[in-house]
Amino acid sequence: MREILIVEDEEDLINILGIVLEDEGYKVTKASSAEEALLLCQTRPPGLIISDIKMGAMDGFALLEIIKATVSLKNIPFIFLTSFDETEARKKGLSLGANAYITKPFDVDPLLEIVLKLS
């Protein structure tokens, strides 16, 4: 079973997404900030990261840059799940190495298809 790290500061969304992924058989770890996510990745790297962009002091772009610059973490697939539906934000996320960029609100089925492909 692959472990998925969800990085999201909206508690309701993180809980709903966690339930959906657990129902599909994934082990889910949750972080409410990019800083917390980095600590979790250093102790036990996940098989996949799903992250928001706009969060507290460190945003999802910075999180992805650190993940990709860390030898032990750089191969972890990374999905942005965000309300930023701007072309420039999408381009930036993908150019930094994100495997997918999904905008909120989102349909669960396409997200699960991407998760399945990447996990």
Side-chain angles (χ1 to χ4, degrees), residues 58-89:
M58 181 189 298
D59 67 14
F61 292 133
L63 172 62
L64 178 56
E65 286 181 300
I66 293 169
I67 294 289
K68 293 301 179 184
T70 305
V71 173
S72 62
L73 306 176
K74 70 180 183 179
N75 293 321
I76 297 172
F78 196 103
I79 299 171
F80 276 122
L81 181 61
T82 181
S83 57
F84 279 139
D85 191 17
E86 302 162 2
T87 302
E88 289 307 310

PDB file of all heavy atoms in Angstrom, residues 58-89:
ATOM      1  N   MET A  58       5.089  29.271   4.017  1.00  0.00           N
ATOM      2  CA  MET A  58       5.703  28.638   2.840  1.00  0.00           C
ATOM      3  C   MET A  58       4.599  28.120   1.933  1.00  0.00           C
ATOM      4  O   MET A  58       3.710  27.413   2.385  1.00  0.00           O
ATOM      5  CB  MET A  58       6.607  27.477   3.269  1.00  0.00           C
ATOM      6  CG  MET A  58       7.303  26.792   2.102  1.00  0.00           C
ATOM      7  SD  MET A  58       8.167  25.251   2.538  1.00  0.00           S
ATOM      8  CE  MET A  58       9.372  25.831   3.692  1.00  0.00           C
ATOM      9  N   ASP A  59       4.661  28.476   0.655  1.00  0.00           N
ATOM     10  CA  ASP A  59       3.613  28.009  -0.252  1.00  0.00           C
ATOM     11  C   ASP A  59       4.002  26.673  -0.901  1.00  0.00           C
ATOM     12  O   ASP A  59       5.102  26.156  -0.703  1.00  0.00           O
ATOM     13  CB  ASP A  59       3.271  29.067  -1.302  1.00  0.00           C
ATOM     14  CG  ASP A  59       4.381  29.348  -2.302  1.00  0.00           C
ATOM     15  OD1 ASP A  59       5.352  28.571  -2.386  1.00  0.00           O
ATOM     16  OD2 ASP A  59       4.264  30.354  -3.027  1.00  0.00           O
ATOM     17  N   GLY A  60       3.090  26.134  -1.667  1.00  0.00           N
ATOM     18  CA  GLY A  60       3.303  24.845  -2.308  1.00  0.00           C
ATOM     19  C   GLY A  60       4.415  24.856  -3.345  1.00  0.00           C
ATOM     20  O   GLY A  60       5.093  23.851  -3.548  1.00  0.00           O
ATOM     21  N   PHE A  61       4.612  26.004  -4.000  1.00  0.00           N
ATOM     22  CA  PHE A  61       5.714  26.101  -4.958  1.00  0.00           C
ATOM     23  C   PHE A  61       7.054  25.908  -4.248  1.00  0.00           C
ATOM     24  O   PHE A  61       7.923  25.178  -4.721  1.00  0.00           O
ATOM     25  CB  PHE A  61       5.715  27.456  -5.675  1.00  0.00           C
ATOM     26  CG  PHE A  61       4.551  27.672  -6.609  1.00  0.00           C
ATOM     27  CD1 PHE A  61       3.839  28.859  -6.574  1.00  0.00           C
ATOM     28  CD2 PHE A  61       4.167  26.716  -7.538  1.00  0.00           C
ATOM     29  CE1 PHE A  61       2.780  29.094  -7.444  1.00  0.00           C
ATOM     30  CE2 PHE A  61       3.114  26.924  -8.411  1.00  0.00           C
ATOM     31  CZ  PHE A  61       2.409  28.119  -8.356  1.00  0.00           C
ATOM     32  N   ALA A  62       7.218  26.589  -3.103  1.00  0.00           N
ATOM     33  CA  ALA A  62       8.466  26.463  -2.330  1.00  0.00           C
ATOM     34  C   ALA A  62       8.640  25.033  -1.834  1.00  0.00           C
ATOM     35  O   ALA A  62       9.755  24.493  -1.849  1.00  0.00           O
ATOM     36  CB  ALA A  62       8.471  27.449  -1.170  1.00  0.00           C
ATOM     37  N   LEU A  63       7.544  24.425  -1.404  1.00  0.00           N
ATOM     38  CA  LEU A  63       7.594  23.031  -0.957  1.00  0.00           C
ATOM     39  C   LEU A  63       8.101  22.134  -2.085  1.00  0.00           C
ATOM     40  O   LEU A  63       9.006  21.318  -1.886  1.00  0.00           O
ATOM     41  CB  LEU A  63       6.215  22.568  -0.489  1.00  0.00           C
ATOM     42  CG  LEU A  63       6.069  21.078  -0.178  1.00  0.00           C
ATOM     43  CD1 LEU A  63       6.982  20.664   0.975  1.00  0.00           C
ATOM     44  CD2 LEU A  63       4.612  20.751   0.140  1.00  0.00           C
ATOM     45  N   LEU A  64       7.532  22.288  -3.262  1.00  0.00           N
ATOM     46  CA  LEU A  64       7.942  21.465  -4.402  1.00  0.00           C
ATOM     47  C   LEU A  64       9.412  21.695  -4.753  1.00  0.00           C
ATOM     48  O   LEU A  64      10.142  20.747  -5.033  1.00  0.00           O
ATOM     49  CB  LEU A  64       7.051  21.741  -5.610  1.00  0.00           C
ATOM     50  CG  LEU A  64       7.392  20.985  -6.893  1.00  0.00           C
ATOM     51  CD1 LEU A  64       7.407  19.474  -6.683  1.00  0.00           C
ATOM     52  CD2 LEU A  64       6.417  21.372  -8.005  1.00  0.00           C
ATOM     53  N   GLU A  65       9.857  22.945  -4.717  1.00  0.00           N
ATOM     54  CA  GLU A  65      11.267  23.236  -5.021  1.00  0.00           C
ATOM     55  C   GLU A  65      12.201  22.523  -4.048  1.00  0.00           C
ATOM     56  O   GLU A  65      13.215  21.954  -4.457  1.00  0.00           O
ATOM     57  CB  GLU A  65      11.523  24.742  -4.970  1.00  0.00           C
ATOM     58  CG  GLU A  65      10.958  25.471  -6.168  1.00  0.00           C
ATOM     59  CD  GLU A  65      11.235  26.956  -6.121  1.00  0.00           C
ATOM     60  OE1 GLU A  65      10.796  27.621  -5.162  1.00  0.00           O
ATOM     61  OE2 GLU A  65      11.892  27.453  -7.055  1.00  0.00           O
ATOM     62  N   ILE A  66      11.843  22.514  -2.771  1.00  0.00           N
ATOM     63  CA  ILE A  66      12.676  21.845  -1.772  1.00  0.00           C
ATOM     64  C   ILE A  66      12.650  20.334  -1.976  1.00  0.00           C
ATOM     65  O   ILE A  66      13.684  19.672  -1.914  1.00  0.00           O
ATOM     66  CB  ILE A  66      12.243  22.224  -0.344  1.00  0.00           C
ATOM     67  CG1 ILE A  66      12.535  23.709  -0.090  1.00  0.00           C
ATOM     68  CG2 ILE A  66      12.938  21.352   0.704  1.00  0.00           C
ATOM     69  CD1 ILE A  66      11.908  24.256   1.176  1.00  0.00           C
ATOM     70  N   ILE A  67      11.473  19.803  -2.242  1.00  0.00           N
ATOM     71  CA  ILE A  67      11.340  18.358  -2.484  1.00  0.00           C
ATOM     72  C   ILE A  67      12.229  17.948  -3.668  1.00  0.00           C
ATOM     73  O   ILE A  67      12.982  16.975  -3.597  1.00  0.00           O
ATOM     74  CB  ILE A  67       9.865  17.972  -2.768  1.00  0.00           C
ATOM     75  CG1 ILE A  67       8.988  18.192  -1.533  1.00  0.00           C
ATOM     76  CG2 ILE A  67       9.747  16.542  -3.294  1.00  0.00           C
ATOM     77  CD1 ILE A  67       9.193  17.254  -0.393  1.00  0.00           C
ATOM     78  N   LYS A  68      12.153  18.686  -4.763  1.00  0.00           N
ATOM     79  CA  LYS A  68      12.909  18.339  -5.976  1.00  0.00           C
ATOM     80  C   LYS A  68      14.413  18.559  -5.802  1.00  0.00           C
ATOM     81  O   LYS A  68      15.209  17.947  -6.509  1.00  0.00           O
ATOM     82  CB  LYS A  68      12.398  19.132  -7.191  1.00  0.00           C
ATOM     83  CG  LYS A  68      10.978  18.732  -7.599  1.00  0.00           C
ATOM     84  CD  LYS A  68      10.882  17.257  -7.945  1.00  0.00           C
ATOM     85  CE  LYS A  68       9.496  16.833  -8.324  1.00  0.00           C
ATOM     86  NZ  LYS A  68       9.377  15.395  -8.578  1.00  0.00           N
ATOM     87  N   ALA A  69      14.806  19.413  -4.852  1.00  0.00           N
ATOM     88  CA  ALA A  69      16.223  19.672  -4.611  1.00  0.00           C
ATOM     89  C   ALA A  69      16.834  18.711  -3.586  1.00  0.00           C
ATOM     90  O   ALA A  69      18.039  18.731  -3.363  1.00  0.00           O
ATOM     91  CB  ALA A  69      16.413  21.112  -4.129  1.00  0.00           C
ATOM     92  N   THR A  70      15.995  17.876  -2.982  1.00  0.00           N
ATOM     93  CA  THR A  70      16.465  16.937  -1.964  1.00  0.00           C
ATOM     94  C   THR A  70      16.615  15.555  -2.595  1.00  0.00           C
ATOM     95  O   THR A  70      15.635  14.971  -3.071  1.00  0.00           O
ATOM     96  CB  THR A  70      15.458  16.876  -0.780  1.00  0.00           C
ATOM     97  OG1 THR A  70      15.265  18.211  -0.280  1.00  0.00           O
ATOM     98  CG2 THR A  70      15.961  15.977   0.324  1.00  0.00           C
ATOM     99  N   VAL A  71      17.837  15.049  -2.611  1.00  0.00           N
ATOM    100  CA  VAL A  71      18.147  13.796  -3.301  1.00  0.00           C
ATOM    101  C   VAL A  71      17.217  12.658  -2.885  1.00  0.00           C
ATOM    102  O   VAL A  71      16.695  11.930  -3.731  1.00  0.00           O
ATOM    103  CB  VAL A  71      19.626  13.403  -3.071  1.00  0.00           C
ATOM    104  CG1 VAL A  71      19.921  12.025  -3.635  1.00  0.00           C
ATOM    105  CG2 VAL A  71      20.544  14.440  -3.672  1.00  0.00           C
ATOM    106  N   SER A  72      16.952  12.517  -1.599  1.00  0.00           N
ATOM    107  CA  SER A  72      16.136  11.394  -1.124  1.00  0.00           C
ATOM    108  C   SER A  72      14.642  11.573  -1.395  1.00  0.00           C
ATOM    109  O   SER A  72      13.868  10.629  -1.241  1.00  0.00           O
ATOM    110  CB  SER A  72      16.363  11.181   0.374  1.00  0.00           C
ATOM    111  OG  SER A  72      15.957  12.335   1.095  1.00  0.00           O
ATOM    112  N   LEU A  73      14.223  12.770  -1.817  1.00  0.00           N
ATOM    113  CA  LEU A  73      12.798  13.050  -2.025  1.00  0.00           C
ATOM    114  C   LEU A  73      12.444  13.403  -3.467  1.00  0.00           C
ATOM    115  O   LEU A  73      11.270  13.391  -3.833  1.00  0.00           O
ATOM    116  CB  LEU A  73      12.356  14.212  -1.120  1.00  0.00           C
ATOM    117  CG  LEU A  73      12.633  14.084   0.373  1.00  0.00           C
ATOM    118  CD1 LEU A  73      12.224  15.367   1.092  1.00  0.00           C
ATOM    119  CD2 LEU A  73      11.914  12.879   0.962  1.00  0.00           C
ATOM    120  N   LYS A  74      13.438  13.693  -4.291  1.00  0.00           N
ATOM    121  CA  LYS A  74      13.177  14.287  -5.603  1.00  0.00           C
ATOM    122  C   LYS A  74      12.343  13.434  -6.553  1.00  0.00           C
ATOM    123  O   LYS A  74      11.730  13.954  -7.482  1.00  0.00           O
ATOM    124  CB  LYS A  74      14.486  14.684  -6.278  1.00  0.00           C
ATOM    125  CG  LYS A  74      15.336  13.522  -6.725  1.00  0.00           C
ATOM    126  CD  LYS A  74      16.600  14.029  -7.384  1.00  0.00           C
ATOM    127  CE  LYS A  74      17.416  12.867  -7.907  1.00  0.00           C
ATOM    128  NZ  LYS A  74      18.628  13.351  -8.567  1.00  0.00           N
ATOM    129  N   ASN A  75      12.278  12.130  -6.334  1.00  0.00           N
ATOM    130  CA  ASN A  75      11.506  11.263  -7.225  1.00  0.00           C
ATOM    131  C   ASN A  75      10.075  11.009  -6.760  1.00  0.00           C
ATOM    132  O   ASN A  75       9.354  10.225  -7.383  1.00  0.00           O
ATOM    133  CB  ASN A  75      12.235   9.937  -7.423  1.00  0.00           C
ATOM    134  CG  ASN A  75      13.528  10.132  -8.194  1.00  0.00           C
ATOM    135  OD1 ASN A  75      13.580  10.931  -9.124  1.00  0.00           O
ATOM    136  ND2 ASN A  75      14.569   9.434  -7.786  1.00  0.00           N
ATOM    137  N   ILE A  76       9.658  11.662  -5.681  1.00  0.00           N
ATOM    138  CA  ILE A  76       8.285  11.497  -5.195  1.00  0.00           C
ATOM    139  C   ILE A  76       7.340  12.227  -6.149  1.00  0.00           C
ATOM    140  O   ILE A  76       7.503  13.427  -6.386  1.00  0.00           O
ATOM    141  CB  ILE A  76       8.118  12.067  -3.767  1.00  0.00           C
ATOM    142  CG1 ILE A  76       9.009  11.305  -2.780  1.00  0.00           C
ATOM    143  CG2 ILE A  76       6.652  12.014  -3.334  1.00  0.00           C
ATOM    144  CD1 ILE A  76       9.049  11.934  -1.386  1.00  0.00           C
ATOM    145  N   PRO A  77       6.355  11.532  -6.706  1.00  0.00           N
ATOM    146  CA  PRO A  77       5.376  12.211  -7.562  1.00  0.00           C
ATOM    147  C   PRO A  77       4.635  13.286  -6.765  1.00  0.00           C
ATOM    148  O   PRO A  77       4.367  13.115  -5.574  1.00  0.00           O
ATOM    149  CB  PRO A  77       4.426  11.092  -7.983  1.00  0.00           C
ATOM    150  CG  PRO A  77       5.203   9.833  -7.794  1.00  0.00           C
ATOM    151  CD  PRO A  77       6.112  10.089  -6.631  1.00  0.00           C
ATOM    152  N   PHE A  78       4.291  14.388  -7.438  1.00  0.00           N
ATOM    153  CA  PHE A  78       3.731  15.560  -6.767  1.00  0.00           C
ATOM    154  C   PHE A  78       2.557  16.086  -7.582  1.00  0.00           C
ATOM    155  O   PHE A  78       2.681  16.330  -8.786  1.00  0.00           O
ATOM    156  CB  PHE A  78       4.825  16.630  -6.660  1.00  0.00           C
ATOM    157  CG  PHE A  78       4.559  17.727  -5.684  1.00  0.00           C
ATOM    158  CD1 PHE A  78       5.186  17.749  -4.454  1.00  0.00           C
ATOM    159  CD2 PHE A  78       3.693  18.766  -6.004  1.00  0.00           C
ATOM    160  CE1 PHE A  78       4.968  18.777  -3.551  1.00  0.00           C
ATOM    161  CE2 PHE A  78       3.456  19.800  -5.111  1.00  0.00           C
ATOM    162  CZ  PHE A  78       4.096  19.805  -3.881  1.00  0.00           C
ATOM    163  N   ILE A  79       1.415  16.267  -6.919  1.00  0.00           N
ATOM    164  CA  ILE A  79       0.211  16.800  -7.557  1.00  0.00           C
ATOM    165  C   ILE A  79      -0.172  18.090  -6.849  1.00  0.00           C
ATOM    166  O   ILE A  79      -0.283  18.115  -5.624  1.00  0.00           O
ATOM    167  CB  ILE A  79      -0.971  15.811  -7.446  1.00  0.00           C
ATOM    168  CG1 ILE A  79      -0.659  14.492  -8.151  1.00  0.00           C
ATOM    169  CG2 ILE A  79      -2.251  16.442  -8.005  1.00  0.00           C
ATOM    170  CD1 ILE A  79      -1.700  13.408  -7.895  1.00  0.00           C
ATOM    171  N   PHE A  80      -0.386  19.152  -7.617  1.00  0.00           N
ATOM    172  CA  PHE A  80      -0.975  20.351  -7.040  1.00  0.00           C
ATOM    173  C   PHE A  80      -2.486  20.231  -7.122  1.00  0.00           C
ATOM    174  O   PHE A  80      -3.031  19.889  -8.170  1.00  0.00           O
ATOM    175  CB  PHE A  80      -0.526  21.618  -7.787  1.00  0.00           C
ATOM    176  CG  PHE A  80       0.794  22.157  -7.328  1.00  0.00           C
ATOM    177  CD1 PHE A  80       1.838  22.314  -8.217  1.00  0.00           C
ATOM    178  CD2 PHE A  80       0.999  22.530  -5.998  1.00  0.00           C
ATOM    179  CE1 PHE A  80       3.058  22.807  -7.807  1.00  0.00           C
ATOM    180  CE2 PHE A  80       2.217  23.023  -5.575  1.00  0.00           C
ATOM    181  CZ  PHE A  80       3.253  23.169  -6.476  1.00  0.00           C
ATOM    182  N   LEU A  81      -3.160  20.519  -6.015  1.00  0.00           N
ATOM    183  CA  LEU A  81      -4.617  20.572  -5.952  1.00  0.00           C
ATOM    184  C   LEU A  81      -4.938  21.938  -5.369  1.00  0.00           C
ATOM    185  O   LEU A  81      -4.772  22.164  -4.171  1.00  0.00           O
ATOM    186  CB  LEU A  81      -5.165  19.449  -5.067  1.00  0.00           C
ATOM    187  CG  LEU A  81      -6.680  19.374  -4.921  1.00  0.00           C
ATOM    188  CD1 LEU A  81      -7.346  19.141  -6.281  1.00  0.00           C
ATOM    189  CD2 LEU A  81      -7.063  18.270  -3.960  1.00  0.00           C
ATOM    190  N   THR A  82      -5.343  22.867  -6.217  1.00  0.00           N
ATOM    191  CA  THR A  82      -5.395  24.264  -5.810  1.00  0.00           C
ATOM    192  C   THR A  82      -6.556  25.020  -6.439  1.00  0.00           C
ATOM    193  O   THR A  82      -7.119  24.582  -7.442  1.00  0.00           O
ATOM    194  CB  THR A  82      -4.064  24.950  -6.189  1.00  0.00           C
ATOM    195  OG1 THR A  82      -4.087  26.307  -5.774  1.00  0.00           O
ATOM    196  CG2 THR A  82      -3.812  24.873  -7.686  1.00  0.00           C
ATOM    197  N   SER A  83      -6.887  26.151  -5.838  1.00  0.00           N
ATOM    198  CA  SER A  83      -7.923  27.009  -6.413  1.00  0.00           C
ATOM    199  C   SER A  83      -7.324  27.998  -7.418  1.00  0.00           C
ATOM    200  O   SER A  83      -8.053  28.718  -8.078  1.00  0.00           O
ATOM    201  CB  SER A  83      -8.658  27.767  -5.306  1.00  0.00           C
ATOM    202  OG  SER A  83      -7.742  28.514  -4.537  1.00  0.00           O
ATOM    203  N   PHE A  84      -5.977  28.039  -7.533  1.00  0.00           N
ATOM    204  CA  PHE A  84      -5.328  28.889  -8.537  1.00  0.00           C
ATOM    205  C   PHE A  84      -5.581  28.316  -9.924  1.00  0.00           C
ATOM    206  O   PHE A  84      -4.974  27.332 -10.313  1.00  0.00           O
ATOM    207  CB  PHE A  84      -3.812  28.957  -8.319  1.00  0.00           C
ATOM    208  CG  PHE A  84      -3.386  29.934  -7.267  1.00  0.00           C
ATOM    209  CD1 PHE A  84      -2.374  29.597  -6.386  1.00  0.00           C
ATOM    210  CD2 PHE A  84      -3.959  31.184  -7.160  1.00  0.00           C
ATOM    211  CE1 PHE A  84      -1.966  30.487  -5.413  1.00  0.00           C
ATOM    212  CE2 PHE A  84      -3.551  32.078  -6.195  1.00  0.00           C
ATOM    213  CZ  PHE A  84      -2.547  31.729  -5.320  1.00  0.00           C
ATOM    214  N   ASP A  85      -6.468  28.949 -10.671  1.00  0.00           N
ATOM    215  CA  ASP A  85      -6.794  28.481 -12.008  1.00  0.00           C
ATOM    216  C   ASP A  85      -6.221  29.441 -13.044  1.00  0.00           C
ATOM    217  O   ASP A  85      -6.864  29.784 -14.022  1.00  0.00           O
ATOM    218  CB  ASP A  85      -8.308  28.352 -12.167  1.00  0.00           C
ATOM    219  CG  ASP A  85      -8.692  27.616 -13.428  1.00  0.00           C
ATOM    220  OD1 ASP A  85      -7.832  26.930 -14.004  1.00  0.00           O
ATOM    221  OD2 ASP A  85      -9.854  27.736 -13.848  1.00  0.00           O
ATOM    222  N   GLU A  86      -4.993  29.887 -12.798  1.00  0.00           N
ATOM    223  CA  GLU A  86      -4.349  30.831 -13.698  1.00  0.00           C
ATOM    224  C   GLU A  86      -3.298  30.092 -14.530  1.00  0.00           C
ATOM    225  O   GLU A  86      -2.591  29.231 -14.025  1.00  0.00           O
ATOM    226  CB  GLU A  86      -3.690  31.952 -12.901  1.00  0.00           C
ATOM    227  CG  GLU A  86      -4.677  32.699 -12.021  1.00  0.00           C
ATOM    228  CD  GLU A  86      -3.988  33.493 -10.920  1.00  0.00           C
ATOM    229  OE1 GLU A  86      -2.751  33.494 -10.850  1.00  0.00           O
ATOM    230  OE2 GLU A  86      -4.717  34.085 -10.123  1.00  0.00           O
ATOM    231  N   THR A  87      -3.195  30.466 -15.781  1.00  0.00           N
ATOM    232  CA  THR A  87      -2.248  29.814 -16.680  1.00  0.00           C
ATOM    233  C   THR A  87      -0.823  29.916 -16.162  1.00  0.00           C
ATOM    234  O   THR A  87      -0.068  28.941 -16.204  1.00  0.00           O
ATOM    235  CB  THR A  87      -2.344  30.434 -18.095  1.00  0.00           C
ATOM    236  OG1 THR A  87      -3.689  30.291 -18.549  1.00  0.00           O
ATOM    237  CG2 THR A  87      -1.409  29.746 -19.055  1.00  0.00           C
ATOM    238  N   GLU A  88      -0.435  31.070 -15.652  1.00  0.00           N
ATOM    239  CA  GLU A  88       0.940  31.258 -15.174  1.00  0.00           C
ATOM    240  C   GLU A  88       1.242  30.363 -13.980  1.00  0.00           C
ATOM    241  O   GLU A  88       2.335  29.801 -13.872  1.00  0.00           O
ATOM    242  CB  GLU A  88       1.201  32.725 -14.833  1.00  0.00           C
ATOM    243  CG  GLU A  88       1.276  33.626 -16.058  1.00  0.00           C
ATOM    244  CD  GLU A  88       2.282  33.136 -17.103  1.00  0.00           C
ATOM    245  OE1 GLU A  88       3.436  32.846 -16.755  1.00  0.00           O
ATOM    246  OE2 GLU A  88       1.886  33.043 -18.287  1.00  0.00           O
ATOM    247  N   ALA A  89       0.287  30.230 -13.061  1.00  0.00           N
ATOM    248  CA  ALA A  89       0.492  29.364 -11.891  1.00  0.00           C
ATOM    249  C   ALA A  89       0.622  27.909 -12.337  1.00  0.00           C
ATOM    250  O   ALA A  89       1.480  27.171 -11.849  1.00  0.00           O
ATOM    251  CB  ALA A  89      -0.652  29.528 -10.904  1.00  0.00           C
TER     252      ALA A  89
END
